[in-house]
Amino acid sequence: MCGRFALLGTPEEIEALMGLMDVEAFPARYNIAPTQPVLMIVSGETPPPGSNRPDRRALLVRWGFIPGWVKDTANYPLMINARSETAIDKASFRTAMRHRRALIPASGFYEWRRDGKNKSQAFWIRPKHGGVIAFAGLYEPWANAEGSEMDTGAILTTSANETLRPIHDRMPVVIDPKDFSRWLDCKTQEPRHVADLLKPAQADFFEAIPVSDKVNKVANMGPDIQERVAEGAFEVKKPLRQKPPESDDQMKLF
């Protein structure tokens, strides 16, 4: 799964990569967690002839997909990821796969390697060439009983490539810039037409950097969480008795 990621690019970089205009300023985000707002790029209205306005728009979405037909979220699981292999067949994601595909700008993501009873090792996984990439995403409008509306979303995942498989068996789907238009085109491109894009990145695309367990805490949001450490090196010893990790709170709906 993908449970944390980062977006360090500037609005200008996002605009250039995604073909957008007027992206609002935002700070670098080193530790984006579930239920927080994430930036998604979606298909917009076709501009009139002669206009230089893009046919894409930026959207702030709550990370945690809620299908529109859900009435009570209290007992509904927080869906931050959608398996690309089965999303078109799942009632939760079927409509979004057909009508609401999105791109999620990211600078990389975090994953944890779990070795039996040993403490998990965190990794900062980033593209070797650096810069901003785009995960495949889905979004869905949702309204509660009082009529309050919000957009919700999930990251599509696929099987891990050979580089990342020793860390985890899943990874986010990365959409190449040349395929942005095809992925976002929900008018003429049905899910079966874009199924070929839902594949692991090439083995040499990402590099995995071992980092400390600072990333485990949502409150840690600075660049130091991405500093390389020796594998198995942790700054804080595990106490005999400890509270549940703060990240658990981020796995709740509200």
Side-chain angles (χ1 to χ4, degrees), residues 78-145:
L78 179 62
M79 299 189 297
I80 60 173
N81 296 153
R83 294 179 69 94
S84 61
E85 301 92 336
T86 59
I88 188 57
D89 299 316
K90 295 289 186 180
S92 299
F93 302 116
R94 185 184 302 126
T95 302
M97 275 291 290
R98 180 64 186 87
H99 299 289
R100 288 181 289 276
R101 299 191 295 267
L103 296 167
I104 304 172
S107 300
F109 65 102
Y110 301 93
E111 194 54 83
W112 286 259
R113 186 181 65 206
R114 293 169 172 82
D115 299 322
K117 295 182 179 179
N118 296 328
K119 192 166 185 177
S120 300
Q121 173 64 61
F123 289 87
W124 163 233
I125 300 171
R126 66 185 183 187
K128 285 185 176 180
H129 59 69
V132 177
I133 57 175
F135 297 151
L138 301 174
Y139 73 102
E140 180 94 343
W142 181 80
N144 62 21

Side-chain angles (χ1 to χ4, degrees), residues 14-36:
I14 303 299
E15 290 176 352
L17 176 67
M18 299 292 176
L20 295 171
M21 294 178 65
D22 304 325
V23 174
E24 293 186 11
F26 58 85
R29 300 180 67 192
Y30 291 88
N31 197 4
I32 302 173
T35 74
Q36 293 180 354

Side-chain angles (χ1 to χ4, degrees), residues 14-83:
I14 303 299
E15 290 176 352
L17 176 67
M18 299 292 176
L20 295 171
M21 294 178 65
D22 304 325
V23 174
E24 293 186 11
F26 58 85
R29 300 180 67 192
Y30 291 88
N31 197 4
I32 302 173
T35 74
Q36 293 180 354
V38 299
L39 181 66
M40 285 193 173
I41 312 305
V42 302
S43 180
E45 296 181 359
T46 302
S51 171
N52 63 350
R53 301 296 299 177
D55 60 353
R56 300 171 187 170
R57 61 189 178 94
L59 190 68
L60 273 182
V61 172
R62 172 188 179 272
W63 189 14
F65 191 97
I66 307 176
W69 43 262
V70 171
K71 302 301 181 184
D72 179 14
T73 61
N75 297 312
Y76 196 79
L78 179 62
M79 299 189 297
I80 60 173
N81 296 153
R83 294 179 69 94

Side-chain angles (χ1 to χ4, degrees), residues 213-232:
D213 54 358
K214 290 180 182 179
V215 68
N216 295 2
K217 292 182 178 294
V218 177
N220 293 334
M221 298 180 291
D224 57 313
I225 68 173
Q226 295 180 351
E227 293 176 356
R228 183 187 294 271
V229 301
E231 291 192 34

